[in-house]
């Protein structure tokens, strides 16, 4: 679990008071070698972080400090891989919080200094970087770094009292810009979340994409809790500043209640809130011949939407020929997420456990208002790039000098937390159109969409669902539904041919019904003719 986190985070980054203090001992009491050293105590409250963010947004932007770049520029992936945090120096290795915190070292891909403090009541002390916290070879360039340069990020290890060895297992990590990740109930890292997305996909030049940073963190134990920890963060970027509070629960799934207060310096063309980012290379739907030995490679295979009107929608992801932004307009959505629905190991055959990657779901805790869930899909030719973003974008134009409050719960789980009771889409397949035994016509594509469960498993014998279809352009033919001949109750498929000319994308919509009864969630698909 940890090795895969390190590998993926560093590859993506290239593209983009301990217990003693709780008992009142002074900072000097734990300045010994192998234990953490702390700075002077300073007043702390989340509202003070909010005020700092507000003040930052009213001033000219100052980029984060990059200490000793002549050293960190030589700490490539291999060199950083030699540096291991000493778990005996972990924050809360002996309490009071249940989850010890360990720290990421600066390196080539993560050169920005991140300040990390620990909260004790209404005071906080910064954790001072020292080489003694890390094991590293004598010839590693990091040996040249002075004390106090800061960290790149941090992660929480599993509970000291749990069944897993906390020194070898972690469950959440914050590293790089405003990125953070957590494992799901299947004990595997996968997709990431971000604090905010600013001008992704360059919607209105010269408003190029920005990557604001969580420049300072405060870690806080939750009194008397065995499964929670709190993190506060200060975010800053060229066009925005913000204060974030994360109440994180390590349960069967990982839950994060997020309170975000965001202030704008400048106008923002695309203001992405509660963003998720993932990787989709290929699946059984579209795969170039012999592009890779594995059948499928993706951290997520679709976008799920639960609209304000109550409709459940499934939109399979694409590896697009060019960057595409899709918008799903809504008012007060009930939730959305990037999911990994395909859990069959035989569909991946890879030891990095794509079949166990978590799904992430955004649940608004206060109404989001009017806007759209926007999905950005970017072409990729490898699995090391995050090429998918899903986020909430308010309808109103975002100008400098504005303030926003957003409260939501982020679920890291195996599945969406509020699944529909209708049949769910479990596969999207395509091939040449036409009928067997005849010459296949040019420009005709056959689609087979599989649904499973819900009312489908209770259909009376002899009842065949009706396929309800619509398209932005083109014509349908050979449309029918049938039970998938695998003996699984409630497993049906809709089959249809689409005839279309020209290269422009085609937006399709499909669901199954009998009479006035809707049997399945709604399948949306963006087809790129080829």
């Amino acid at each position: 679990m940890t090795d895969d986190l390190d590998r993926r985070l560093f590859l993506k980054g290239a593209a983009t008071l301990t217990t003693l203090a709780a008992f009142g001992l002074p900072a000097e009491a734990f300045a010994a070698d192998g234990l953490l050293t702390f700075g002077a105590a300073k007043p702390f409250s989340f509202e003070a972080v909010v005020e700092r963010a507000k003040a930052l947004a009213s001033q000219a932007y100052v980029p984060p400090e990059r200490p000793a770049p002549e050293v960190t520029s030589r700490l490539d992936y291999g060199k950083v891989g030699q540096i291991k945090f000493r778990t005996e120096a972990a924050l809360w290795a002996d309490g009071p919080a249940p989850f010890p915190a360990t720290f990421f070292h600066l390196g080539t891909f993560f050169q920005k200094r991140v300040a990390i403090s620990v909260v004790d009541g209404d005071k906080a002390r910064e954790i001072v970087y020292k080489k003694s916290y890390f094991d590293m070879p004598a010839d590693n360039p990091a040996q040249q770094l002075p004390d106090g340069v800061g960290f790149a990020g941090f992660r929480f290890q599993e509970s000291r009292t749990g069944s897993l060895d906390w020194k070898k297992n972690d469950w959440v990590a914050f590293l790089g810009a405003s990125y953070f990740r957590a494992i799901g109930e299947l004990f595997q890292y996968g997709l990431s979340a971000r604090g905010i997305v600013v001008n992704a996909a360059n919607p209105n030049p010269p408003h190029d994409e920005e990557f604001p940073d969580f420049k300072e963190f405060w870690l806080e134990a939750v009194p008397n809790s065995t499964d929670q920890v709190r993190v506060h963060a200060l975010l800053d970027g060229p066009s925005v500043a913000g204060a974030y509070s994360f109440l994180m629960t390590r349960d069967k799934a990982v839950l994060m209640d997020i309170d975000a207060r965001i202030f704008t310096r400048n106008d923002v063309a695309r203001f992405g809130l509660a963003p998720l980012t993932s990787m989709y290379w290929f699946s059984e739907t579209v795969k170039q011949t012999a592009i890779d030995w594995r059948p499928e490679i993706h951290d997520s295979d679709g976008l799920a939407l639960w609209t304000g009107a109550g409709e459940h929608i499934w939109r399979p992801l694409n590896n697009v020929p060019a960057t595409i932004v899709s918008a799903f307009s809504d008012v007060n959505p009930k939730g959305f997420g990037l999911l990994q629905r395909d859990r069959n190991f035989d569909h991946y055959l890879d030891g990095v456990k794509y079949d166990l990657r978590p799904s992430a779901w955004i649940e608004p805790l206060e109404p989001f208002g009017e806007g759209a869930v926007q999905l950005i899909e970017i072409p990729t030719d490898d699995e090391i790039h995050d090429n998918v973003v899903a986020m909430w974008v308010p309808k109103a134009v975002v100008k400098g000098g504005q303030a926003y409050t957003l409260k939501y719960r982020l679920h890291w789980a195996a599945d969406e937390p509020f699944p529909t009771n209708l049949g769910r889409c479990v596969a999207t397949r395509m091939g040449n159109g036409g009928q067997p035994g005849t010459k296949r016509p040019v420009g005709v594509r056959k689609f087979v969409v599989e649904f499973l469960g819900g009312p489908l498993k209770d259909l009376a014998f002899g009842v065949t669902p009706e396929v309800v279809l619509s398209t932005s352009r083109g014509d349908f033919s050979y449309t029918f539904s049938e039970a998938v001949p695998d003996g699984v109750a409630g497993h049906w498929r809709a089959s249809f041919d689409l005839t279309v000319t020209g290269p422009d994308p085609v937006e399709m919509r499909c669901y199954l019904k009998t009479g006035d009864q809707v049997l399945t969630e709604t399948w949306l698909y963006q087809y790129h003719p080829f």
Side-chain angles (χ1 to χ4, degrees):
M1 182 165 56
T2 296
D3 289 344
D4 183 56
L5 169 68
D6 290 341
R7 179 178 70 89
R8 289 294 303 278
L9 282 174
F10 274 95
L11 289 169
K12 290 175 183 175
T16 63
L17 276 167
T18 67
T19 307
L20 296 174
F23 289 103
L25 294 182
E28 302 83 49
F30 35 94
D33 182 56
L35 295 175
L36 298 178
T37 299
F38 296 82
K42 298 180 180 180
F44 174 81
S45 70
F46 178 60
E47 289 306 318
V49 180
V50 174
E51 289 303 311
R52 281 187 61 188
K54 184 177 180 180
L56 281 173
S58 67
Q59 303 164 7
Y61 173 65
V62 178
E65 180 185 357
R66 297 175 184 260
E70 71 284 356
V71 177
T72 57
S73 61
R74 291 186 283 137
L75 292 173
D76 59 17
Y77 179 70
K79 294 296 184 184
V80 171
Q82 297 176 342
I83 304 172
K84 305 297 183 183
F85 188 85
R86 298 170 57 189
T87 52
E88 64 267 28
L91 177 68
W92 299 327
D94 298 307
F99 307 109
T102 60
F103 305 97
F104 290 106
H105 202 281
L106 295 171
T108 299
F109 301 137
F110 300 100
Q111 296 187 13
K112 298 174 184 176
R113 180 184 188 277
V114 174
I116 303 175
S117 300
V118 61
V119 176
D120 182 18
D122 61 355
K123 304 291 184 182
R125 296 175 183 265
E126 184 177 349
I127 301 168
V128 180
Y129 167 88
K130 285 193 172 183
K131 292 189 291 293
S132 60
Y133 306 158
F134 299 87
D135 288 325
M136 64 181 77
D139 61 350
N140 191 286
Q143 294 282 5
Q144 302 172 29
L145 289 173
D147 290 344
V149 296
F151 304 96
F154 69 94
R155 51 185 159 195
F156 284 116
Q157 307 298 126
E158 291 282 12
S159 173
R160 292 175 291 103
T161 60
S163 59
L164 296 175
D165 183 350
W166 71 262
K167 296 181 179 181
K168 299 179 181 178
N169 294 275
D170 52 300
W171 60 279
V172 66
F174 286 74
L175 179 64
S178 67
Y179 285 86
F180 56 99
R181 301 209 293 174
I183 64 173
E185 56 200 277
L186 302 178
F187 297 94
Q188 183 64 40
Y189 281 105
L191 78 168
S192 303
R194 294 163 68 176
I196 195 169
V197 166
V198 177
N199 297 332
N202 195 15
N204 185 20
H207 295 281
D208 293 331
E209 183 168 9
E210 302 171 8
F211 293 87
D213 297 281
F214 284 141
K215 61 188 295 183
E216 191 165 353
F217 290 100
W218 294 264
L219 314 186
E220 182 177 9
V222 177
N224 304 314
S225 175
T226 61
D227 62 357
Q228 289 184 320
V229 68
R230 195 184 300 274
V231 172
H232 310 279
L234 178 65
L235 177 138
D236 197 18
S239 294
V240 298
Y244 289 70
S245 182
F246 302 81
L247 177 61
M248 302 191 292
T249 304
R250 179 69 175 105
D251 202 345
K252 183 179 180 181
V254 173
L255 304 178
M256 298 180 177
D257 286 8
I258 302 175
D259 181 351
R261 318 286 181 86
I262 304 166
F263 305 91
T264 58
R265 275 191 181 88
N266 306 315
D267 298 354
V268 178
R270 178 168 285 130
F271 192 59
L273 303 175
L276 304 171
T277 183
S278 191
M279 180 274 294
Y280 177 90
W281 187 9
F282 61 86
S283 70
E284 78 275 357
T285 304
V286 180
K287 178 186 176 183
Q288 293 175 290
T289 302
I291 191 173
D292 192 88
W293 65 272
R294 297 161 293 184
E296 300 184 43
I297 297 296
H298 48 76
D299 282 340
S300 309
D301 51 10
L303 169 68
L305 306 167
W306 187 14
T307 70
E311 183 179 18
H312 286 266
I313 295 172
W314 177 248
R315 164 55 158 80
L317 298 176
N318 280 311
N319 188 353
V320 290
T323 298
I324 296 286
V325 180
S326 302
F328 306 89
S329 298
D330 205 352
V331 178
N332 295 328
K334 293 180 171 63
F336 67 91
L338 291 174
L339 310 186
Q340 185 79 311
R341 279 191 176 174
D342 191 337
R343 296 295 183 190
N344 190 329
F345 171 79
D346 291 341
H347 293 179
Y348 304 94
L349 301 176
D350 196 315
V352 298
K353 302 178 181 179
Y354 283 111
D355 57 309
L356 303 181
R357 300 293 163 118
S359 297
W361 181 265
I362 303 295
E363 174 195 357
L365 297 180
E366 292 184 354
F368 277 12
E370 189 172 0
V373 175
Q374 291 194 4
L375 176 67
I376 301 175
E377 295 167 297
I378 303 168
T380 188
D381 59 0
D382 207 337
E383 64 200 277
I384 66 171
H385 305 297
D386 277 351
N387 63 316
V388 176
V389 180
M391 58 194 176
W392 176 254
V393 178
K395 181 179 180 180
V397 175
V398 176
K399 297 289 186 181
Q402 294 179 315
Y404 296 83
T405 295
L406 195 72
K407 296 183 179 182
Y408 61 98
R409 178 170 295 147
L410 176 48
H411 302 251
W412 304 84
D415 196 4
E416 57 192 289
F418 310 105
T420 177
N421 57 8
L422 300 173
R424 304 173 77 196
C425 180
V426 294
T428 300
R429 312 183 192 278
M430 69 171 71
N432 291 328
Q435 299 304 298
T438 65
K439 184 176 181 180
R440 299 301 176 101
V442 176
V444 180
R445 182 65 62 192
K446 182 176 295 296
F447 290 86
V448 177
V449 183
E450 296 183 18
F451 297 95
L452 177 65
L456 291 172
K457 65 179 182 297
D458 300 321
L459 288 177
F461 180 78
V463 174
T464 300
E466 176 187 350
V467 181
V468 181
L469 285 170
S470 62
T471 181
S472 60
R473 63 189 191 89
D475 299 300
F476 293 121
S477 59
Y478 299 115
T479 300
F480 63 92
S481 69
E482 62 179 353
V484 177
D486 58 0
V488 176
H491 193 184
W492 285 77
R493 58 192 177 203
S495 180
F496 53 90
D497 283 6
L498 172 71
T499 302
V500 67
T501 59
D504 293 339
V506 181
E507 302 285 353
M508 291 182 290
R509 182 182 182 95
C510 174
Y511 63 91
L512 300 181
K513 72 171 189 173
T514 55
D516 294 332
Q517 182 187 12
V518 175
L519 302 174
T520 69
E521 67 184 358
T522 302
W523 170 86
L524 301 183
Y525 191 70
Q526 186 181 80
Y527 169 55
H528 296 265
F530 55 87

